[in-house]
Amino acid sequence: MDGGVLTPRYAFMAIMSCGIAILGLLQSSAAVVIGAMLISPLMGPIVQLGFSLCVVDFRMMGRALVALLAGIALALVIAMCIVWLSPLREATSEILARTQPTLFDLLVALFSGLAGGYAVITRKGETIVGVAIATALMPPLAVVAYGLAVRDMSIAGGAFFLFMTNLLVIALAVTLIAKWYGFGTDNSPQHTAWQAAIIVVTFAVLVIPLGLALRNIAEQSWTAKEATAAVDDYLHEHGGSIEQMKVERRGERFAVNLVLLVPSYLNDAQDKIQALIGQKLKHAPIVQVRQTLEASDSMTRDRATVDALRVQVDDLNLQVEELKRQAEPWIALHVKNLLQQPCDVAVDMNKRKITVTLPATGDADDKQILALRERLAPLEPGWAIEITKATATQPVASENPSAPQEAGH
């Protein structure tokens, strides 16, 4: 079993397969995860571990454990680095699916191990069985790396439990197949006894928590089904539908979070729904109901009317801006006519400000400027009026204040 020892090829394939697996998990792509399974090298050391347990070969067992630990460490390091560098860090459905192992996962590992042991001993279909074993090992190992990278110990712990369950069950299943085919028959009674004890204790330790987890999932699924039926009965009388529902276990009770799509607000929805669901469950549930109003025909018409009014308001605002733009030069001309002297006039309709710049060569002093400002103030109430003298380098237009300035050609 050359594939069960630590070699450069084994290390390289372990890194590549776990790297591909974590990328597939982050993208929630089952196809990419399957690609990682195809190149995973974990079958060799696990089968060798199970076979060494059967024939009580501690040297072979040591080589297999070294290869396994090295492969696990390399895979974890590369996968964690990918998660740290990746902009995608949300826990996808592919990741969450490997954080709650159940008794079914143990059975998958058992059948994979039995098939792997048979394939290795009989030399038939080793590659295909290797894929089946990798299915149970490489994705959970990548999820462990994800949980460690994002510091979510619940994800890392659940995935590690699944990984160790699969690893141990596959190795022990290989031991059983090897025993079936006559390997290890010359073992001493003591060896046979502790082999049997290891197998029985391992399966017992794993079966109990996995069986409880499976029971909890089954209860949660049944509760969700009963809650859906109760809410559907209630909504059948009042109209509406279930937009979203989430059921979670909280101790001995279940929490049901509902989002309902209803034609009008139902005042007693929470109490009625909680009572209906409570009739079907052993313990009173925790129910939270949120209601979203449906879009009726009258609401649609009202929205269309509002949209039309908004368009009209936008058109009026554009017309007002255009009128302001056209009024600015006429206001400037009006101010020039009032002052009856050469000057520049700038008008800002939005800020309601008039700026008058007198020529630098003029004889207007501060007292005269103040008099000009007082003359303009009553004529343009509410406007800010600023009158200044131009600098020597700033020219001021000299024009006939009694007539509009025509554009030059």
Side-chain angles (χ1 to χ4, degrees):
M1 300 182 188
D2 296 333
V5 297
L6 180 59
T7 62
R9 178 187 179 279
Y10 170 85
F12 178 78
M13 296 304 289
I15 292 174
M16 294 301 102
S17 61
C18 196
I20 295 172
I22 191 63
L23 291 173
L25 292 168
L26 290 173
Q27 299 176 79
S28 193
S29 172
V32 176
V33 176
I34 292 173
M37 300 171 190
L38 293 173
I39 64 173
S40 173
L42 295 179
M43 173 186 176
I46 293 175
V47 171
Q48 190 174 93
L49 180 63
F51 192 82
S52 66
L53 180 61
C54 175
V55 299
V56 194
D57 187 337
F58 292 106
R59 185 177 179 183
M60 180 189 298
M61 187 181 299
R63 291 198 304 266
L65 287 174
V66 168
L68 265 177
L69 293 177
I72 291 171
L74 291 171
L76 288 177
V77 169
I78 190 64
M80 290 175 66
C81 290
I82 290 175
V83 174
W84 285 330
L85 296 174
S86 171
L88 303 176
R89 292 196 179 184
E90 294 296 324
T92 63
S93 59
E94 288 286 332
I95 291 175
L96 297 177
R98 292 170 173 87
T99 59
Q100 295 181 329
T102 67
L103 191 59
F104 286 160
D105 295 296
L106 184 145
L107 294 176
V108 170
L110 177 61
F111 294 149
S112 298
L114 294 174
Y118 171 81
V120 171
I121 292 172
T122 61
R123 301 290 181 180
K124 296 178 179 178
E126 293 182 58
T127 302
I128 297 176
V129 176
V131 175
I133 292 179
T135 301
L137 290 169
M138 190 52 72
L141 184 58
V143 175
V144 173
Y146 168 84
L148 294 175
V150 300
R151 298 182 180 180
D152 191 328
M153 294 302 106
S154 62
I155 289 180
F160 183 73
F161 184 40
L162 175 59
F163 173 76
M164 290 304 300
T165 297
N166 293 336
L167 189 153
L168 294 174
V169 172
I170 289 172
L172 295 178
V174 172
T175 301
L176 294 175
I177 285 291
K179 279 285 188 182
W180 178 267
Y181 274 88
F183 291 92
T185 55
D186 56 346
N187 294 340
S188 65
Q190 291 81 4
H191 286 159
T192 303
W194 66 258
Q195 284 175 344
I198 290 175
I199 294 173
V200 171
V201 171
T202 301
F203 274 95
V205 169
L206 294 175
V207 163
I208 293 174
L210 293 175
L212 292 175
L214 180 61
R215 186 194 67 177
N216 291 337
I217 292 176
E219 287 185 357
Q220 184 171 328
S221 177
W222 179 84
T223 300
K225 180 180 178 181
E226 293 297 319
T228 301
V231 176
D232 283 339
D233 291 341
Y234 174 79
L235 293 177
H236 181 71
E237 300 176 1
H238 299 85
S241 60
I242 299 175
E243 184 75 8
Q244 183 179 350
M245 184 175 71
K246 184 178 182 181
V247 178
E248 296 178 324
R249 175 181 284 276
R250 296 182 183 174
E252 295 184 349
R253 305 171 67 186
F254 283 95
V256 182
N257 292 315
L258 285 165
V259 178
L260 305 181
L261 191 62
V262 294
S264 59
Y265 185 77
L266 305 174
N267 294 321
D268 59 350
Q270 175 131 345
D271 295 336
K272 291 290 184 65
I273 291 175
Q274 183 162 359
L276 289 173
I277 297 177
Q279 294 174 2
K280 299 177 178 291
L281 304 181
K282 184 185 299 185
H283 301 283
I286 303 170
V287 178
Q288 182 178 4
V289 178
R290 287 173 290 176
Q291 302 180 44
T292 302
L293 297 181
E294 295 177 344
S296 61
D297 292 340
S298 60
M299 292 175 63
T300 303
R301 289 194 297 270
D302 292 343
R303 179 172 296 179
T305 302
V306 171
D307 291 341
L309 290 174
R310 185 179 292 112
V311 171
Q312 294 178 13
V313 170
D314 291 341
D315 289 341
L316 289 174
N317 287 333
L318 291 175
Q319 294 177 21
V320 169
E321 292 298 325
E322 179 63 20
L323 290 174
K324 287 181 179 180
R325 188 184 65 80
Q326 296 177 2
E328 287 178 353
W330 293 101
I331 294 176
L333 179 63
H334 176 62
V335 171
K336 290 180 180 181
N337 289 333
L338 290 174
L339 296 178
Q340 293 293 321
Q341 60 180 296
C343 61
D344 280 340
V345 179
V347 179
D348 190 334
M349 294 290 293
N350 293 322
K351 295 182 179 180
R352 296 177 63 82
K353 181 178 180 181
I354 298 175
T355 302
V356 179
T357 304
L358 300 175
T361 56
D363 55 357
D365 55 16
D366 292 340
K367 186 175 181 180
Q368 291 173 324
I369 291 176
L370 180 60
L372 292 174
R373 183 182 293 109
E374 291 176 351
R375 186 193 308 173
L376 291 176
L379 299 174
E380 302 293 343
W383 284 63
I385 299 174
E386 181 178 344
I387 302 177
T388 60
K389 291 185 67 174
T391 61
T393 58
Q394 181 180 358
V396 177
S398 177
E399 56 190 34
N400 182 5
S402 62
Q405 180 75 18
E406 295 183 359
H409 297 281

